[in-house]
Amino acid sequence: MEMKAPIVLALDTPDLETALGWIKATQGVVSVYKLGLEFYLTFGRDGVKRVLDHTDSDIFLDLKLHDIPHTVSSAALALSSLHPKYLTVHASGGRAMITAAVEAVPTTFVTGVTILTSLSEKDVQEVGFKENAAVSAVKLATLAVEAGARAIVCSPLEIIDIRTALGNDVTIITPGVRPSNGAPADDQVRTLTPQQAIERGANFVVIGRPITGEWVNGAGAMRERAVEIAEQLR
Ligand code: C5P
């Protein structure tokens, strides 16, 4: 039997009709659809509305806002009529900025992005963090939640530390997972399987190419991939 799994499907495509096709193929299996910066800058609010017309699942706007509090507040307010369930901000934007976003869109889960997993330890030092990525991520997650964020995006390797520090009220969302179903790793390194991420305490896993990638042939196969992963998460 199919039911929605804790999967956030990344609609990473420059083609709106393709995105709508992916939604159709995975409807009822995926809990949340994630629209990133590329999608928003290409299709804007109208694109988001088209997506909303095609699904009753939640929308995750992954715009990673990072600016002065006033600007972030205005930007979040501009998005409020789209009613995204999740909206990302960089936790490193600071307490006042995060709170400004939370106050602008009180019904949205403002979601703090901790340390980008694309940064190496050397990069983390270079941009000025005193501590390593894992310790810095817990500090940023703590700051974000204290400032009102209700969700956190982090590497699967940081789930346990963040869950231990912040308890069960915060929603933990993790990309960087790869199912053991033959999907290519692509550019993801140091991955866990979706099942391992959920076992470690993530509420949702973000998945893109293992479901939507070119290696998956057609809508039927795409649904099969999604259902296969969903079944491992039950
Ligand atoms: O295709 P794949 O499963 O790698 O897609 C993962 C999604 O999660 C992409 O939208 C990517 O931008 C996003 N993401 C990530 N790693 C992060 C943050 C976001 O892969 N650290």
Side-chain angles (χ1 to χ4, degrees), residues 16-221:
L16 184 54
E17 296 309 318
T18 300
L20 298 179
W22 291 354
I23 291 172
K24 197 169 169 210
T26 57
Q27 201 78 263
V29 183
V30 162
S31 298
V32 184
Y33 291 102
K34 181 171 93 72
L35 302 170
L37 205 48
E38 179 190 8
F39 183 99
Y40 195 79
L41 293 177
T42 308
F43 304 112
R45 306 170 59 81
D46 288 346
V48 179
K49 284 184 191 154
R50 288 285 306 279
V51 166
L52 288 167
D53 286 343
H54 281 74
T55 181
D56 59 1
S57 291
D58 291 327
I59 296 297
F60 182 124
L61 278 186
D62 190 13
L63 302 183
K64 298 192 177 68
L65 302 179
H66 189 166
D67 211 313
I68 60 171
H70 179 73
T71 302
V72 166
S73 170
S74 307
L77 208 52
L79 297 166
S80 61
S81 63
L82 297 171
H83 305 294
K85 176 77 183 273
Y86 302 94
L87 171 66
T88 49
V89 302
H90 273 290
S92 57
R95 190 179 300 272
M97 187 206 77
I98 297 163
T99 302
V102 170
E103 287 173 355
V105 284
T107 58
T108 290
F109 278 49
V110 168
T111 300
V113 175
T114 55
I115 303 271
L116 295 173
T117 51
S118 54
L119 297 180
S120 67
E121 288 296 346
K122 185 164 169 283
D123 295 327
V124 169
Q125 303 290 310
E126 201 171 48
V127 295
F129 286 99
K130 284 197 299 256
E131 272 135 340
N132 66 23
V135 174
S136 302
V138 175
K139 286 192 171 178
L140 284 167
T142 305
L143 165 69
V145 168
E146 283 174 5
R150 285 195 265 174
I152 294 294
V153 173
C154 65
S155 147
L157 304 175
E158 291 151 9
I159 297 166
I160 292 175
D161 287 348
I162 291 179
R163 181 64 75 206
T164 304
L166 297 178
N168 287 332
D169 285 346
V170 64
T171 297
I172 297 181
I173 304 169
T174 181
V177 293
R178 279 294 174 268
S180 52
N181 66 351
D186 304 302
D187 47 2
Q188 298 284 9
V189 286
R190 299 163 69 223
T191 60
L192 294 185
T193 66
Q195 199 176 2
Q196 286 170 327
I198 296 292
E199 279 166 9
R200 287 185 182 205
N203 300 91
F204 292 99
V205 288
V206 180
I207 303 181
R209 289 162 295 178
I211 293 174
T212 62
E214 281 169 11
W215 74 293
V216 180
N217 201 359

